[in-house]
Amino acid sequence: MSSPGDILDLISRGDAGTRAELARVTGMARSTVAQRVDTLIAYGLVEEHETGASTGGRPPRVLRLATERNCVVGVDLGATHCRVALMDIGGRLLADREDPLRITEGPEPVLRHIDDRMHELLAQAGRPLAAVKAIGIGVPGPVEFATGRPVNPPIMPGWHEYPIPDYFTSRYDLEVLVDNDVNALALGEVRHGSTAADNLLFVKIGTGIGCGIIAGGRLHRGAQGAAGDIGHIRVPGADSAACRCGNTGCLEAVAGGAALAARLTQAGVPAADGRAVVDLVSSGDPMAVRLVREAGRDIGDVLAGLVNFFNPEAIVVGGVMAAAHEHLLAGVREVIYQRSLPLATHRLTVAPTEAGEAGGALGAGRLAIDHVLAPDNIDRALAAHAAGAAPAAR
């Protein structure tokens, strides 16, 4: 029999919008449906409105998520930026802001910045703090998803095993989920971009290189959350390229934005970072164009193996270097279609992201929404509320 969490799932996905439709879809008695729906309304997760079209007689009452009373915060942390987004639990963006912020400042200053921005966005949107049910955070390094702790993140000194969720849960009555930033980007792409694919690789090419994997419509993290760390796959013939992970010949040490900027600077073409490389490409600098196209080929060589292994429908490229997609993707496509099996590439698309700069924060917000609305989590919260162990939704 469908639980209240299952009923909420049907409502949130748009599969049923009235009590009668819920009874038809679930096969439950109307009295049972009424009990489940009334519980969700009392807990503040669902609202009922008389706006349905009438087929004769009284118009049906339409069920919707209580988006005014429930929201989440999505955070995209990069090496040098922080974007915070406030979303309702229906996925609508209410307010967002991006600021320059170096992850190397350490956990306390960075998390305090997120906390401050959250309060500012709530005030801007006219929502109370009590409406925030969860925070999703994407960070630029490996994360043990079950605990929300970064594990030996190369570009995040001072963050190793730092309990990020505790910073917020010790202050507020909410839940916190922490994931690798490229996983959040992959979620943002499939939920807020135009890519309708159940099997997708999202490749972030910025300071480093990483890959988010959508398999069968679900985010795939692997056993410990390390799936998709393609930036540290060895590139043949690149043993002289030292990587910040301690190895040599890693893909990001050869084709990442920081590596390209360093090579240009050494050749007498100053470039501070990946964004500067993109600017040089946009201005037509021949050396920058050549290096970016070569980087595309190196990345394509790694992705060709993944295409043969995983057989995705789409490869989406994001990150700061994606702004040079005309030259970067030319190199990527060249090698993928040359090295991958014809069946695997028959309908494969390789394209730049369409989720925009907010994709990471929106994906992190979706991570939080999916957690809040998960049927098992809803059922546990309702059981605790019924037992008097938790307050009603605020």
Side-chain angles (χ1 to χ4, degrees):
M1 186 177 293
S2 296
S3 68
D6 295 324
I7 294 295
L8 183 64
D9 187 51
L10 291 171
I11 295 170
S12 67
R13 289 191 286 111
D15 292 340
T18 66
R19 295 176 186 240
E21 288 175 356
L22 286 168
R24 177 177 56 79
V25 170
T26 64
M28 293 192 305
R30 291 198 176 209
S31 59
T32 305
V33 168
Q35 185 271 329
R36 301 279 195 271
V37 169
D38 290 344
T39 297
L40 293 170
I41 291 174
Y43 195 68
L45 290 167
V46 169
E47 296 173 341
E48 198 167 27
H49 304 273
E50 287 189 0
T51 57
S54 175
T55 56
R58 183 177 179 179
R61 295 172 67 85
V62 175
L63 299 166
R64 297 194 183 100
L65 289 174
T67 54
E68 290 291 324
R69 300 177 62 183
N70 301 278
C71 61
V72 300
V73 173
V75 181
D76 174 30
L77 281 175
T80 58
H81 79 274
C82 173
R83 180 180 285 269
V84 181
L86 180 67
M87 304 163 64
D88 66 31
I89 58 167
R92 183 169 65 97
L93 179 64
L94 302 175
D96 71 333
R97 175 168 171 174
E98 179 171 333
D99 298 292
L101 182 68
R102 293 193 175 278
I103 199 76
T104 52
E105 291 186 19
E108 293 287 335
V110 170
L111 298 179
R112 185 165 56 247
H113 175 92
I114 294 171
D115 195 2
D116 292 342
R117 287 291 173 265
M118 176 178 71
H119 283 83
E120 291 173 9
L121 294 178
L122 285 167
Q124 181 181 332
R127 301 292 175 95
L129 176 62
V132 180
K133 306 304 178 187
I135 301 174
I137 304 175
V139 302
V143 176
E144 185 179 54
F145 182 71
T147 64
R149 295 170 182 249
V151 180
N152 293 314
I155 65 169
M156 299 171 64
W159 290 81
H160 175 57
E161 293 193 346
Y162 186 89
I164 295 175
D166 293 358
Y167 182 92
F168 297 97
T169 57
S170 64
R171 292 165 169 80
Y172 311 115
D173 181 19
L174 48 74
E175 297 185 79
V176 179
L177 298 98
V178 185
D179 208 340
N180 182 273
D181 60 349
V182 75
N183 286 341
L185 284 163
L187 276 178
E189 186 66 32
V190 296
R191 301 295 183 85
H192 294 276
S194 61
T195 306
D198 286 335
N199 299 285
L200 172 145
L201 298 177
F202 187 102
V203 182
K204 179 189 176 185
I205 309 172
T207 302
I209 299 174
C211 180
I213 305 167
I214 302 293
R218 300 172 66 89
L219 186 62
H220 175 74
R221 296 186 178 89
Q224 302 297 332
D229 202 356
I230 66 170
H232 300 287
I233 292 178
R234 181 176 175 274
V235 176
D239 290 343
S240 63
C243 184
R244 58 195 173 188
C245 74
N247 289 323
T248 59
C250 294
L251 179 63
E252 73 172 45
V254 175
L260 297 181
R263 289 169 65 187
L264 283 167
T265 300
Q266 290 169 4
V269 182
D273 51 25
R275 195 174 299 277
V277 175
V278 171
D279 291 341
L280 287 168
V281 170
S282 299
S283 67
D285 182 89
M287 180 173 288
V289 169
R290 177 174 61 81
L291 287 183
V292 166
R293 191 174 286 260
E294 287 177 1
R297 294 190 187 100
D298 288 328
I299 295 167
D301 194 50
V302 169
L303 292 179
L306 299 184
V307 168
N308 285 335
F309 175 77
F310 179 57
N311 188 201
E313 300 159 64
I315 295 175
V316 178
V317 177
V320 66
M321 296 302 300
H325 61 81
E326 179 181 347
H327 299 285
L328 184 70
L329 293 191
V332 170
R333 292 190 184 103
E334 175 187 336
V335 178
I336 286 179
Y337 288 104
Q338 180 185 65
R339 298 288 302 275
S340 300
L341 296 172
L343 180 60
T345 58
H346 179 55
R347 295 183 179 176
L348 175 68
T349 63
V350 182
T353 178
E354 294 189 10
E357 292 185 354
L362 295 176
R366 274 293 177 180
L367 183 70
I369 290 171
D370 290 349
H371 178 79
V372 170
L373 297 181
D376 288 347
N377 292 337
I378 292 295
D379 292 338
R380 278 194 293 269
L382 292 175
H385 173 55
R394 299 149 294 186

